[in-house]
Amino acid sequence: MQVQSKVVIIDFGSQYTQLIARRIREAGVYSEIHPCVIGLDELKALEPSALVLSGGPASVGLSDSPLIDPDIFDLNLPVLGICYGMQLIAHIFGGSVQPSVNREYGRSILEFAQDSPLWDTLQDKDKLTVWMSHGDTVLAPPVDFEILARTANVEIAAMGNQEKKVYAVQFHPEVAHTEEGFRILHNFLFKIAGLKPDWSMSSFIESAISSMREKIGNEHVVCGLSGGIDSTVVAVLLHRAIGKRLHCILVDNGVLRHGEGQEVAETLNKHFDLNLKYVQAQERFLSRLEGVEDPEIKRKIIGHTFIEVFDQEAGSIPGVKWLAQGTLYPDVIESVSFKGPSAVIKSHHNVGGLPEKMNLKLVEPLRELFKDEVRKVAVELGIPDIFVWRHPFPGPGLAIRIIGEITTERLEILRKADRIVQNELHASDWYRKVWQGFAVLLPLKTVGVMGDERTYENVIALRIVESVDAMTADWSRIPSEILARISNRIINEVQGVNRVVFDISSKPPSTIEWE
Ligand code: XMP
């Protein structure tokens, strides 16, 4: 990455470590997360401009608590310790850290003990609401460290050594509950460490293109397109880098939404001069799914069939040496524990197993990006809004939204119902406000009455959820008039449906998809 400023975050296992990285990047500074077992030489090789020591669940001073090579402080880099990171700094520099009488969790009022560059641009110079989450406390600062802030419970809530540029805070400036937390992070990055905000999506695009050109040389690359944002950005970036030596394959697996395969192919062809092959393999997938009810078997069949079709298509392109994948940064870090790298790197949905089978090298241009950064890259690349804001759609598609057996008749019903949901979400401007909104076809029939006739027909469930990362989700409090319109339209327009229900479960304990 061609950036001058790079913050390395050393991870001690905090649930907020990714958030620290995102906040620093939002400030325009490139940041990377590395496990705390990183060695001194490995760290030096990364050429960091500053370090952040993250929080973590452990207590310093125990025999198994995660430590760090104390020589990192001889690199003379600016350091910010957060929570466990602060306790570790205190421990290494000879301060005293003890378990607190009461665990402190939640909001606290921070009072400043003295002026510091860390507080430089804060608007409220008296006190700040901050977010705490700790069991241990620094009771005495190391020699040469000044106490910078306290709370009612904690005498040393922040400390610093201005000469060494080593600072530490007990609270979490990265979480939204800490008022002006971003200003504290900015003060560290720009006032203390003197970094340059040179991480932007246009600089990413430039450097990704040149590094892909260098890596791929004159060879050819194959890329699976789904119409989702990740694979679209991968394809457009690679297309910019190597032009027609990129070969895109869009597989219609028969369980896409209404007209989706055709529409994605046409839109991409219209906007970008991609080398795109639209493979209509609906029959092959649907015949194998016949009579299958178990969701995991559906997933396996779709996964294997995809690999088979993709392999066949890619094999017919002469000279392909690379497979492009849309792996994102959270996939990379989730597969590495803070205690060290684990062997398994999560493979991208649907293409897992492909590189080995086809003996291809992997190119993953989005490996360094968070999802919101991928969206920004998409906008910079001129990718149309319908791709940028498209809701996530699972690889096994409608197959896991038809509960039980998949038949062409049931697919037809779900496609019609789902199309109405999508239309109404767009028409009411709710599409962008929710994480996902879709219809599910249930494997049961219920009684209804239409005109003078008794009916006995299918039930559609609506699943509309809000989420930031799909790890947790809550059902959307979408206005009841929109739900009423969706329900009316489905029952009136989709033959075979006489009842619509709305799913009001959160994740956990439910999941977003029904299968
Ligand atoms: P759940 O249902 O686990 O879904 O709460 C979380 C997110 O993952 C998507 N999802 C999948 N995506 N293949 C995929 O590519 C799958 O098998 C799959 N299952 C769930 C789901 O749509 C949601 O965004």
Side-chain angles (χ1 to χ4, degrees), residues 231-243:
S231 62
T232 307
V233 170
V234 167
V236 174
L237 259 180
L238 270 161
H239 177 67
R240 286 238 185 135
I242 60 165

Side-chain angles (χ1 to χ4, degrees), residues 133-183:
S133 168
H134 65 114
D136 293 351
T137 308
V138 177
L139 287 188
V143 185
D144 298 334
F145 274 74
E146 292 176 322
I147 300 175
L148 302 180
R150 61 175 73 89
T151 70
N153 292 323
V154 178
E155 227 358 80
I156 309 171
M159 61 182 197
N161 178 323
Q162 194 160 345
E163 198 192 311
K164 281 190 160 53
K165 295 189 180 175
V166 176
Y167 288 83
V169 291
Q170 184 56 69
F171 58 91
H172 290 273
E174 70 277 19
V175 308
H177 304 297
T178 293
E179 273 176 351
E180 303 197 57
F182 68 96
R183 290 212 170 88

Side-chain angles (χ1 to χ4, degrees), residues 346-502:
K346 204 157 102 186
S347 60
H348 199 251
H349 288 303
N350 308 328
V351 286
L354 259 180
E356 301 79 35
K357 182 171 163 53
M358 298 174 65
N359 202 15
L360 293 175
K361 297 177 274 188
L362 265 187
V363 53
E364 298 174 306
L366 312 183
R367 263 181 87 82
E368 283 151 346
L369 300 189
F370 289 108
K371 190 84 178 181
D372 47 333
E373 294 177 318
V374 177
R375 288 217 162 97
K376 288 185 195 147
V377 170
V379 172
E380 292 254 344
L381 288 170
I383 292 173
D385 271 9
I386 58 154
F387 293 101
V388 179
W389 297 106
R390 188 181 288 258
H391 289 170
F393 186 65
L398 300 182
I400 54 164
R401 293 180 180 170
I402 291 177
I403 311 305
E405 194 183 348
I406 300 156
T407 62
T408 39
E409 190 202 349
R410 301 188 76 210
L411 259 172
E412 183 77 356
I413 291 176
L414 182 59
R415 281 205 174 105
K416 284 184 178 154
D418 186 69
R419 194 177 177 197
I420 293 172
V421 179
Q422 305 310 311
N423 282 347
E424 290 300 331
L425 286 176
H426 280 296
S428 60
D429 276 343
W430 270 78
Y431 188 85
R432 294 250 306 245
K433 293 184 202 161
V434 301
W435 173 264
Q436 271 173 301
F438 54 87
V440 179
L441 178 61
L442 305 191
L444 73 148
K445 294 196 171 180
T446 68
V447 172
V449 54
M450 279 193 191
D452 293 331
E453 302 242 346
R454 177 185 178 280
T455 58
Y456 186 57
E457 290 178 337
N458 293 288
V459 182
I460 286 285
L462 301 178
R463 185 68 164 144
I464 307 176
V465 296
E466 288 170 16
S467 175
V468 282
D469 53 11
M471 303 293 283
T472 60
D474 198 6
W475 56 280
S476 167
R477 270 52 169 182
I478 184 165
S480 55
E481 308 84 72
I482 303 171
L483 292 176
R485 207 158 43 240
I486 294 175
S487 163
N488 272 343
R489 282 196 57 196
I490 291 178
I491 294 171
N492 286 332
E493 296 173 30
V494 184
Q495 246 193 8
V497 177
N498 67 357
R499 191 177 297 276
V500 173
V501 296
F502 184 48

